[in-house]
Structure formats: structure tokens, C-alpha cells
Amino acid sequence: MSDLVKFGLDGLVDVLKAAGEPTRLRLLALLAAGDLTVTDLTEILGQSQPRISRHLKLLGEAGLIDRYQEGAWAYFRLKQEGKAVILVRTLLRHAAENDPVLLRDGERLAAVKRIRAERAQAYFSRNAAEWDELRRLHVADEDVDKALIELIGPQQIDSFLDLGTGTGRMLQLLAGNYRRAVGIDASRDMLAVARANLDRSNITAASVRYGDIFNLPLEAQDFDLITIHQVLHFLDQPEIAINEAARMLRPGGRLVIIDLAPHGLEYLRDEHAHLRLGFSHQTISEWLKLAGLDVEQVLDLHSGREGGKALTVTIWLARDPRLLIAAGQDRQSSPVLAGRA
């Protein structure tokens, strides 16, 4: 059993006390399936909000769930890491699949997710025309996705962060490559779309949350891959976002920026809120260097369209050099650096 963990007696009793109550075990099963609010949980379990909140408080104190605020709403989910969570997941795997209580909870959870998806689709439909117009101007998503996957390489990603996650496309694209992932966005409407997309794709290793790209609500040096996909041109000070992303990287971690090359489509400022009309190789590379990162590769992808409305997409790949410095002559032995030589 590769996930076998050992506890001291007191620690084991604490976890079992927290999980060993019917409502709390049902909550843990639900929160293992994704992000849910207190309102969602009261609807599913048919219990009062104070009762649900009290159980969530106990689970939080036991270190079994995460809580994060998104405006007036608080979202909860099962923690992705830690000895206690490994034990809880083991307990949940031993629950009978045909248990009538858990089956009913699962049906109600599906109904909550269906309503969430319908609301997200309504927002997406209202804005689809704008996004479709922009897509027609630049490189096809499939071509960008293919280039990004080739650039990142086949090695397993331990922790992945997608800044300005939008609809969660990057979280879905790389779902088979990471162990855990977080998407950050400042639009609650877009987060609703992202959650619905993750639900539909049955991706539970990723979560999304509201956050400021200039002041991330995360632990520094916690991610070995970060993407910023078509976000910087909306920002007044993109270099600050790059600095903040660099702060999140583990030693040897990589930052990938995907954005537009310089162009002259002024109407994108007024009609689509673009503050920057693309970025040169030199500009982004200088910002990356000032953030303490080494630029490893820059790749231009051309749309193939003729005329002045064709946009080029550029991908920058940079790395935190601290692992190289620490590794010295032993760089070949580092799994993070595999493939660099």
C-alpha cells in the first residue's frame, strides 16, 4: 500500500473523532468531489445551516478541509495534502458504493452541480460572441495547446498554478500531468464557469478560487509550474504580476507566459478592455529576468491569416534558477531538471 501512513495514538484518535460521525463523514465524501458552499451542503444533506457550519468548523480544526472566501460566499473542499487526508480518503474508499445515504447525497450533489453548470453556461452564452471574435484573430487554441504541452514536456507536475484561470482551460488541458492544481481569477462569473467545467470533466485534483493576481492568497514557493495564459494584456502593471508569480515558484520551478505579440488593433482597447497591445520578446524577457528567472525559450505562433488583423501568440518559458545553483555539478540527478541538458 503506497499510501499507508503511520500515526501516533493521539493523532490517530483525533482524525477518527473528526471523521467518525455520520454527518461529518458525509460532508467529507461530498467535499472530496469538489468545492461546495454551506448553502450547497444544507441543500444536499437537508440539515440546518448552523448545524452544517458547526461540523465544518470541527473538520477545519482537524485539518481535514480547506475554507476560502469568495466575496460573500465561503467555499469548502477536502484538503489535497497531509497524513490526515490520506487516512480520510482511505476510509471513504471503504464506504459501500450502494449505501443508500451516500447514494442519495450523490444524487443531490449532481443536482447542485447541474444548476451550477446551467448558470455558468448562461454567463458563457452572453459573452461567447466576444470570445469567438477574438479567437478568430489569432492562433487556434489547438495549436497553442499542442505547443504548450510540447514545451512543458512529459514529466509529472507535482503542483500547478494557473493565474487568471478564466474558464479553467489550462486546468483541463493539463489534468493528466499534475498531482494537484489551483486556478486563480478575479471574476466570480468566470470562476463559476471554471467550476462547472471541472465538474463536467470530473477533475477533482484541481480547485479554483477568487484572488488578486498582484497579491496571491497562497503560500510562496509552493508550485513547480505556473501558467499565465492570455492575461497580461488586461493588466496595467503586468510586471508586478510576473514578480508575484515568480514568488510562488519552488526552486527550479517553471513559469510559462502565453500572450499576444505586439500588434496595432487599437479597437481591442475600447471594445475588449485590452490595456496592452501585445508584448515584445524583449519586454517580457526583461521582466522575467528582473523577477529572478532565467528565460529558457521563446516561441512565436502565427495565425496564418493575411492582413493587418492577424495576431501572433508568443510563449515564454522561464525557470527559477535556484535549484541549478544549489545542485552545482549534480544537476543531472535532479528530476525537475531532467531534459534540460
Side-chain angles (χ1 to χ4, degrees):
M1 295 179 62
S2 60
D3 60 352
L4 181 65
V5 294
K6 300 293 184 69
F7 288 82
L9 182 61
D10 290 343
L12 184 59
V13 169
D14 288 343
V15 175
L16 294 176
K17 278 183 178 179
E21 191 276 339
T23 296
R24 291 199 289 275
L25 194 59
R26 291 167 70 189
L27 286 170
L28 290 169
L30 290 167
L31 296 175
D35 302 356
L36 294 168
T37 66
V38 172
T39 300
D40 294 334
L41 294 167
T42 57
E43 290 179 7
I44 294 169
L45 272 65
Q47 299 183 16
S48 69
Q49 182 171 332
R51 180 177 172 83
I52 294 296
S53 295
R54 180 169 59 84
H55 284 305
L56 291 172
K57 183 174 184 292
L58 292 172
L59 292 173
E61 290 173 349
L64 297 178
I65 62 173
D66 283 323
R67 177 190 187 279
Y68 52 93
Q69 198 73 26
E70 189 173 301
W73 296 94
Y75 281 87
F76 299 84
R77 70 175 285 125
L78 186 67
K79 278 186 177 291
Q80 293 183 313
E81 293 186 296
K83 289 170 54 177
V85 174
I86 292 174
L87 178 57
V88 165
R89 290 189 184 277
T90 301
L91 292 174
L92 293 174
R93 284 200 298 270
H94 283 79
E97 295 179 357
N98 60 350
D99 179 88
V101 174
L102 295 179
L103 281 175
R104 186 169 63 251
D105 287 350
E107 291 169 357
R108 292 176 176 173
L109 173 63
V112 166
K113 289 188 173 184
R114 186 164 56 249
I115 293 170
R116 177 190 289 179
E118 290 169 356
R119 290 172 179 166
Q121 184 58 44
Y123 170 79
F124 188 86
S125 297
R126 290 195 302 270
N127 294 275
E130 174 183 324
W131 294 330
D132 287 344
E133 178 187 347
L134 292 176
R135 283 195 182 98
R136 284 194 292 269
L137 292 176
H138 58 68
V139 184
D141 290 338
E142 296 78 10
D143 294 336
V144 177
D145 293 347
K146 180 181 177 183
L148 177 61
I149 290 172
E150 290 178 354
L151 202 62
I152 291 172
Q155 62 262 46
Q156 185 69 16
I157 301 162
D158 180 59
S159 54
F160 169 48
L161 173 62
D162 183 35
L163 298 179
T165 197
T167 62
R169 278 197 68 250
M170 293 296 102
L171 299 175
Q172 295 174 80
L173 177 67
L174 301 177
N177 296 66
Y178 55 75
R179 185 179 63 82
R180 66 179 180 94
V182 178
I184 299 290
D185 206 282
S187 166
R188 295 185 179 90
D189 287 327
M190 294 304 288
L191 288 173
V193 175
R195 285 194 182 94
N197 287 339
L198 293 176
D199 289 344
R200 186 172 59 252
S201 301
N202 196 29
I203 298 172
T204 59
S207 64
V208 296
R209 63 185 67 177
Y210 180 83
D212 181 355
I213 197 171
F214 299 120
N215 185 22
L216 294 169
L218 302 166
E219 293 292 329
Q221 300 187 37
D222 196 34
F223 298 92
D224 52 16
L225 178 68
I226 299 175
T227 55
I228 308 177
H229 180 262
Q230 297 291 9
V231 172
L232 294 184
H233 58 257
F234 291 109
L235 305 181
D236 185 45
Q237 294 179 293
E239 68 275 18
I240 297 179
I242 291 175
N243 279 330
E244 184 69 354
R247 189 174 70 86
M248 294 293 115
L249 283 174
R250 292 173 177 171
R254 296 175 294 170
L255 170 62
V256 179
I257 295 172
I258 305 100
D259 218 296
L260 301 176
H263 62 84
L265 303 185
E266 285 286 345
Y267 82 95
L268 292 181
R269 294 189 195 272
D270 299 325
E271 298 180 23
H272 299 285
H274 287 209
L275 296 181
R276 302 293 186 107
L277 298 183
F279 302 92
S280 68
H281 289 195
Q282 181 180 359
T283 296
I284 296 290
S285 295
E286 286 180 354
W287 286 340
L288 289 167
K289 291 175 183 176
L290 288 172
L293 305 181
D294 289 345
V295 179
E296 294 195 337
Q297 194 166 344
V298 182
L299 177 66
D300 285 326
L301 301 174
H302 304 285
S303 68
R305 286 170 52 93
E306 299 294 333
K309 285 194 173 183
L311 296 176
T312 295
V313 172
T314 304
I315 304 178
W316 291 263
L317 172 65
R319 189 187 296 271
D320 185 311
R322 287 174 295 171
L323 192 60
L324 276 175
I325 296 170
Q329 297 300 316
D330 195 37
R331 55 182 296 212
Q332 295 289 342
S333 65
S334 170
V336 178
L337 297 176
R340 270 206 76 187

